[in-house]
Amino acid sequence: MSAPATGPRLDPEVATLLRRDPAGLVAAVAQQHDTGEVLMVAWMDDEALRRTLTSGRATYWSRSREEYWAKGETSGHRQWVREVRLDCDGDALLLLVDQEGPACHTGERSCFHRPLEVQRADVR
């Protein structure tokens, strides 16, 4: 469960557009703004989104640590937000970012570096 926000709150007009999961979170996909490369998926609550929109730095809610984290705060691999988009259902965000260094905690540029084999049936 995310922490209660203190101080300024997310714009109510934006907040009403979000469809949160039972923990109050929305999936956030980070994509490199100029190449379209999908970098990572994380979670945001209202406070993480507010921090992101007001600072220009991608800030997420860590479900495992139960705390906010600005991407790159400790690693230096920051995400500078160029644009935030909301999907048609309001349950996912797309952050178009300028990524400094790798996005993945493993040191890979993208968290999506492990391809899986697809078994295709010949359907016509």
Side-chain angles (χ1 to χ4, degrees):
M1 185 68 126
S2 58
T6 58
R9 295 180 105 35
L10 182 63
D11 180 336
E13 289 184 28
V14 173
T16 61
L17 299 173
L18 299 175
R19 286 187 42 200
R20 300 158 195 82
D21 73 4
L25 302 171
V26 174
V29 178
Q31 181 179 35
Q32 180 63 35
H33 76 95
D34 53 354
T35 66
E37 179 183 21
V38 177
L39 300 169
M40 58 177 275
V41 175
W43 296 94
M44 289 184 159
D45 65 1
D46 287 16
E47 176 62 11
L49 180 56
R50 183 196 68 76
R51 291 181 187 192
T52 297
L53 293 172
T54 59
S55 72
R57 294 256 327 267
T59 302
Y60 303 105
W61 174 255
S62 171
R63 296 179 301 169
S64 59
R65 294 187 314 263
E66 295 189 349
E67 65 184 14
Y68 295 104
W69 56 284
K71 181 69 175 165
E73 201 166 48
T74 56
S75 68
H77 303 148
R78 295 172 194 85
Q79 289 179 346
W80 300 100
V81 179
R82 298 286 188 103
E83 187 177 341
V84 177
R85 298 179 186 176
L86 182 64
D87 83 334
C88 59
D89 295 324
D91 59 2
L93 296 162
L94 176 64
L95 280 68
L96 300 176
V97 302
D98 188 12
Q99 176 70 46
E100 289 181 0
C104 187
H105 72 279
T106 65
E108 295 286 337
R109 169 77 180 161
S110 169
C111 292
F112 296 95
H113 61 275
R114 301 185 307 170
L116 299 177
E117 185 177 331
V118 177
Q119 301 292 323
R120 296 189 179 139
D122 189 18
V123 181
R124 295 177 192 224

